[in-house]
Amino acid sequence: MMKTHEVEAMTCVAKGPNHGPAPIPEEGRWVQAKQVTDISGFTHGVGWCAPQQGACKLSLNVRNGVIEEALVETLGCTGMTHSAAMAAEILPGKTILEALNTDLVCDAINTAMRELFLQIVYGRTQSAFSEGGLPVGAGLEDLGKGLRSQVGTMYGTLEKGPRYLEIAEGYVMKLALDADDQIIGYQFVQMGKMMDMVKKGTDANEAFKACIGTYGRFDEAVRVIDPRHE
């Protein structure tokens, strides 16, 4: 290594004890991480694109520094979904350092990767105190049985009030209103469950009817409206 003349001429002073890095919690252990292979953990993180018009929720399962599982969920422009498809193929098998320095095209996915890197290397993971960590497949469990992202889509105007369009249970078909025209419940269809039934051979209309449910005081509605057309 090159040294300046000033450094070459300096007197050597002995260094004190080397205590190493502060230990971080990793899968039920305290680890002094000194290199990429010392890092393990499962966690989620959110990134956003430069104009802040879209977002990505990224979930990574890292073992010994290598990404074993990646779940990429995006909300925003259509191009994000194609970038997510590429990221799902690229990320598994890379070390977290490689992934941090890989162009995942979409700003939101790149930002999510940066945020996850910070969480993982500082021991701020979902599995920090889970002995042995979480198995590969934990990302799919986060989606639920229908393997669909948990999406909430609500719309409202000052003049016409709120509309629930998509909620945790599924696609909202009807809103229940009371005598004051306030929302007291809704009817929904579980899209993931319905599509699974159709794929297994159930008639689409039968599957549709079987996957309809209600929430709140739907049966007490004074009137019911379609949130998309009324």
Side-chain angles (χ1 to χ4, degrees), residues 49 51-55 74-84 106-108:
C49 63
Q52 300 184 46
Q53 293 173 351
T74 59
L75 175 68
C77 72
T78 54
M80 296 175 76
T81 62
H82 296 278
S83 297
C106 174
D107 281 347

Side-chain angles (χ1 to χ4, degrees), residues 91-146:
L91 288 173
K94 284 187 177 291
T95 68
I96 55 172
L97 186 59
E98 286 179 297
L100 183 67
N101 289 285
T102 296
D103 183 7
L104 301 170
V105 182
C106 174
D107 281 347
I109 304 175
N110 283 322
T111 304
M113 183 62 231
R114 181 192 70 197
E115 297 302 307
L116 256 70
F117 180 86
L118 295 175
Q119 291 179 33
I120 293 168
V121 298
Y122 286 134
R124 301 327 194 248
T125 64
Q126 183 178 329
S127 59
F129 299 102
S130 300
E131 188 174 358
L134 299 181
V136 172
L140 291 181
E141 291 178 4
D142 188 59
L143 291 177
K145 291 183 179 179

